[in-house]
């Protein structure tokens, strides 16, 4: 028997099953979980990805998801509370290493076959491109809040270059890249709309919310906002660890972050803001490291 929380909250359904599996438990609110109580509940999901959108005030932690409530802030499932699936079948190890250290306490590992997949770059490839990993492209602009023409232009250049490259999948098969192999992600709908105007027809463009659960060979993330003073919301939205995690971890091979250097200049007013600033600076520093394995190394 399967259904939404609404089905299992019905009087005739409550406690009617021995075991209730809750998929995407990081997006199921604690209230909905309580209403669908069964004799045993198994929560399946990732609380380090997007949470369920909520409105109103939820005091005392009542606005948390069932998974957040169970894990109490742990980035992965402690052994005494369940099972952490520690292997990703999507990300190349070069990208997975950053996501693992920054989001999952260093405990996420790429399955061995992921090391085979990579981009095969021509000599004239855009300098932001590398065979695999994380790339950070600083684009200076001022006064941009929810959209940036400067970033849209750079994204167009990077996308055009990506489509001219080739890719090797986890089984070692090489083929040409297409528009369908790239996701272009932005935090705001205004930037999404601008990118759709500037990019070729057929380009996959959207917010993080649209692409959760999807994947591609490469991902381009356009942050859009010029700096801290230009953020239309507080730093917790633009620099959200969960949203950033979802955005870059859609990539199998390469994630490219296009952003203004001003976004790195957050003066933290709290420990939480310090964590947000640290994540973004960490990404820029990680991307500035070695260019990544060359095609010759991988062969």
């Amino acid at each position: 028997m399967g259904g939404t929380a609404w089905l299992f909250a019905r009087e005739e359904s409550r406690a009617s099953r021995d075991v209730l599996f809750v998929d995407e438990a990081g997006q199921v609110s604690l209230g909905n979980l309580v209403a669908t109580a069964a004799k045993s509940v198994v929560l399946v999901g990732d609380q380090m990805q997007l949470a369920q959108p909520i409105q109103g005030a939820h005091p005392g932690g009542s606005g948390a998801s069932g998974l957040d409530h169970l894990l109490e802030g742990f980035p992965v499932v402690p052994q005494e509370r369940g099972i952490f699936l520690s292997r990703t079948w999507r990300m190349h190890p070069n990208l997975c290493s950053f996501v693992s250290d920054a989001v999952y306490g260093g405990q996420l590992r790429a399955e061995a076959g992921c090391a085979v997949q990579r981009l095969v770059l021509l000599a004239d490839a855009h300098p932001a491109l590398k065979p695999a990993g994380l790339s950070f492209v600083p684009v200076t602009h001022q006064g941009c809040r929810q959209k940036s023409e400067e970033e849209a232009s750079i994204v167009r250049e990077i996308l055009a270059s990506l489509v001219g490259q080739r890719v090797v999948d986890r089984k070692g098969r090489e083929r040409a890249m297409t528009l369908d192999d790239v996701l272009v992600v932005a935090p705001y709908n205004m930037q999404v709309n601008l990118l759709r105007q500037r990019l070729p027809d057929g380009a996959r463009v959207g917010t993080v919310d649209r692409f959760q659960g999807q994947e591609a060979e490469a991902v381009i993330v356009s942050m859009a906002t010029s700096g801290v003073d230009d953020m239309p919301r507080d730093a917790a939205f633009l620099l959200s660890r969960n949203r950033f995690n979802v955005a870059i971890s859609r990539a199998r091979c390469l994630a490219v972050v296009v952003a203004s250097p001003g976004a790195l200049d957050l003066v933290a007013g709290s420990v939480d803001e310090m964590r947000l600033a640290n994540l973004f600076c960490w990404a820029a520093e990680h991307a500035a490291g070695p260019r990544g394995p060359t095609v010759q190394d991988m062969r």
Side-chain angles (χ1 to χ4, degrees), residues 11 75 87 96 121 124 130 137 144 148 187 190 193 212 221 229 263 279 282 286 288:
E11 189 64 34
R87 299 287 171 180
C96 178
L121 304 178
D124 61 349
K130 58 178 75 170
V137 182
C144 297
S148 167
M190 289 183 67
N193 293 335
Q212 178 162 261
V221 182
D229 295 336
L279 173 67
W282 190 353
H286 181 92

Side-chain angles (χ1 to χ4, degrees), residues 70-132:
L70 174 68
L71 298 183
E72 297 181 311
F74 287 101
V76 300
V77 185
Q79 288 186 348
E80 67 275 10
R81 301 190 188 188
I83 300 171
F84 173 57
L85 303 179
S86 62
R87 299 287 171 180
T88 171
W89 267 254
R90 175 187 300 152
M91 291 181 285
H92 186 280
N94 285 10
L95 180 58
C96 178
S97 64
F98 170 76
V99 172
S100 176
D101 291 342
V103 181
Y104 296 100
Q107 298 188 51
L108 184 66
R109 299 288 183 270
E111 192 273 332
C114 294
V116 177
Q117 59 198 26
R118 64 191 186 274
L119 304 185
V120 181
L121 304 178
L122 300 173
D124 61 349
H126 192 283
L129 302 184
K130 58 178 75 170

Side-chain angles (χ1 to χ4, degrees), residues 113-172:
C114 294
V116 177
Q117 59 198 26
R118 64 191 186 274
L119 304 185
V120 181
L121 304 178
L122 300 173
D124 61 349
H126 192 283
L129 302 184
K130 58 178 75 170
L134 180 65
S135 182
F136 187 91
V137 182
V139 181
T140 302
H141 48 77
Q142 295 180 340
C144 297
R145 293 173 61 78
Q146 298 186 57
K147 69 175 184 177
S148 167
E149 287 279 3
E150 293 87 349
E151 289 191 20
S153 296
I154 295 298
V155 169
R156 182 175 57 204
E157 293 176 7
I158 296 172
L159 179 61
S161 184
L162 273 169
V163 174
Q165 312 306 319
R166 298 183 67 80
V167 63
V168 176
D169 67 19
R170 60 183 295 115
K171 294 183 178 180

Side-chain angles (χ1 to χ4, degrees), residues 119 162-167 175-179 181-182 217-218:
L119 304 185
L162 273 169
V163 174
Q165 312 306 319
R166 298 183 67 80
V167 63
R175 61 173 176 80
M177 288 273 285
T178 69
L179 277 178
D181 291 318
V182 186
E217 306 302 335

Side-chain angles (χ1 to χ4, degrees), residues 161-238:
S161 184
L162 273 169
V163 174
Q165 312 306 319
R166 298 183 67 80
V167 63
V168 176
D169 67 19
R170 60 183 295 115
K171 294 183 178 180
R173 298 172 299 198
E174 184 175 324
R175 61 173 176 80
M177 288 273 285
T178 69
L179 277 178
D180 200 47
D181 291 318
V182 186
L183 297 180
V184 181
V185 186
Y188 309 113
N189 285 322
M190 289 183 67
Q191 184 70 356
V192 168
N193 293 335
L194 176 63
L195 288 166
R196 285 175 177 161
Q197 295 170 15
R198 300 291 182 266
L199 300 181
D201 292 340
R204 300 168 67 187
V205 186
T207 62
V208 176
D209 307 77
R210 176 185 176 186
F211 288 135
Q212 178 162 261
Q214 299 187 42
E215 58 188 75
E217 306 302 335
V219 171
I220 307 172
V221 182
S222 174
M223 301 297 286
T225 303
S226 294
V228 177
D229 295 336
D230 301 299
M231 291 181 184
R233 308 185 190 183
D234 60 24
F237 177 80
L238 182 65

